Amino acid sequence: MSRLDKRKEPDPEEQDLVEIMPLGAGQEVGRSCVIIKYMGKTIMMDCGIHPGFSGEASLPFLDTVDLDTVDVMLVTHFHLDHCAAVPYVVGRTNFKGRVFMTHPTKAIVGTLLKDFVKVSGGRTDGALYSEKDLEKTLDLTEVIDFHQTIEVDGIQVTAYRAGHVLGACMFEIEIAGMRLLYTGDYSRVPDRHLSAADTPDNPPHIVIVESTYGVSKHLPRDQREQRFVEKVRGILTRGGRVLLPVVALGRAQEVLLILEECWNNSPELQNVPIYQASGLARRAISVYQTYIEMMNDDIKAAFQASNPFMFKHVTHLKSSQHLDDIGPCVVMATPSMLQSGLSRELFEAWCEDPRNGIIIADFAVAGTLARELALRCSVDAISFSAHADFPQTSDFLDEVNPPHVVLVHGEAGEMMRLKRALEQRAKAMDRIRNLYTPKVTQPVHIRHQPRHVAKVVGRLAEKRAATEQALQGLLVRHGAQDSLMHPSDLPFFTKLHPGRVLQRQLLALHKPFSEVRLALEVMFEGTKGDTDLGQVTSGAMQEPGASQSLRVGGAVNVSYKAEEGGEPAHVVLAWEGGSTSDMVADAVIAIILQSAGEPTGLQQLETQRQAVLDNGDVDSAMKHEMQMLATLLNSQFGQAHVDHQQDLVMLQVDQQHVIIDYKASKVSCSDDALRSRVERAMQRLVEAMNPVQIEGH
């Protein structure tokens, strides 16, 4: 079947619906990849890997979409978490679209990913792709300049400066009048060699923006540089070594410019060596020299006198064997998150000496060593990371004023705090701004209609609206007539009636409730007043027999019931359904499940099952498996019972009976949703007990 045959014409009912789905970087930092669909067109923004994982586990969730339908892939910059999976998509999948990036990005991607292929080829989980796949990708890749507009099959693409690193760009896409801006990683503050991010020429309807630093605020550039230099001096003065874990390209060049200036102005430091321990950074210097014209005016002016990237006081190391590890020195080594390589090697060698010091100069991703340092040597975090902070993001959004903002590239906690802050700011400015925080593979649907006429009725029509005044209400379509009304008017103008959905969830608890409460307080810190998480209440929706009750985020009640009469200790969540309360409930459930501990006896049952399996007793193994299933179901749904004579597992949830025929792998229940949940739980257990066998070659 050809690509044209597989492509469907847009449904008339959904052709004005924009779908945005992160395949990576949804409530996480890493493997940036966002799919955008509109009017039958599909665009992929970035395609990187996650630095906290390896092999195929580091890839975006590419199997969620049919890559054969992707029209164009737009790569914002050369960092691995934004570009390293591109050759995998081009060389190992059915992707047939076009690929675009800026000139410097393409030049550096070629060098960067050649090293990546060599390094990953030596891992036990193997390389994701070959050098041939990379060559095919580079041959396919087309280049775009800043402020250039190209058209790809009805999709207009414009590139704007993003700051961040050399060649980094924001992409504006326009389809049938709908304008969407994808920032990628961006910075609105110029640094020593890059200009600030541009403002697009036309206001976008949708902005997809990074949320890396949430509501944090960076120190001003001069203060950051002064603090950095002082920390370096302090470590060297006490006879220590300075380890600077960095990304080979981007912030490394910024830090080298700072160190070079400091050494030029400090004769007493000029006998202390500065080592740049990255062959990739050394080779990429030629790219920086080539694209001087794409940097800021300071660098252009300096280049008229001499090459600012020819460092007088910096020595490039070929390997750790060439390091003169005697006395004070400064070493810049990769990777920035200390997960492997020379930075990890030097960290392990130097971390026990209190004279030495580590300075983390870039963003540290959760799950990497750089995020969890607790050592004898000094550890300082002085961010030179060229990601936008809260003032930059909020001011930028105020300037372009989009009605829809999708947050990506941020850890869940930071992202949610940023969402609330931006919502409060928009409300204070009396602006309509919808914010979305999708998880990975969770689609966001935004309806875009360039021109729409609706009749205002009911309470909203009592007062004449001023020209261009925003009206907020329910838009109801009846045939060809659209009406805008207040939600309370719904029963008067339609046959519809608003309703409330009350939801409850029971979770077994195998640890003290105080630990769960502490975990919730850590996540929801800063909540005030009646919704103070730390307040134990006996308010509405408190469960009968509960010994303690918490209210989280003003939306979810958490009631604790201690073990009694053979019924295990558990918590009951209760909330009224809604977008905000459901989001809070999801977060609370995730925290409780993470801190609840493993069900009692599960490990012992698995040991017994394995023992009888080793003896060839399949029937006894199945009985242990049924008991394990009952234990897990008991944790998730409530008391479960095993009937070994009939090979059945039975449980009851909210008056609904569930019967599981384990031998036939069949679940019976009158509630389809509950049956589906139990089936998924059973499937996960079976998969866990029967891992895939991989044969060696």
Side-chain angles (χ1 to χ4, degrees), residues 189-210:
V189 177
D191 58 23
R192 284 179 173 254
H193 70 294
L194 294 174
S195 302
D198 293 326
T199 300
D201 296 333
N202 300 302
H205 302 103
I206 303 169
V207 172
I208 304 175
V209 63
E210 68 159 315

Side-chain angles (χ1 to χ4, degrees), residues 171-192:
F171 283 111
E172 178 190 83
I173 62 171
E174 183 171 344
I175 305 171
M178 185 281 297
R179 285 188 301 276
L180 181 149
L181 181 71
Y182 176 80
T183 67
D185 295 351
Y186 79 112
S187 174
R188 296 280 287 175
V189 177
D191 58 23
R192 284 179 173 254

Side-chain angles (χ1 to χ4, degrees), residues 24 39 117 140 239 266 278 330 348 437 489 562 588 672 689:
M39 297 290 290
V117 171
L140 179 69
S266 306
S278 170
V330 178
E348 292 178 348
T437 56
D489 289 332
V588 172
D672 292 341
M689 291 188 298

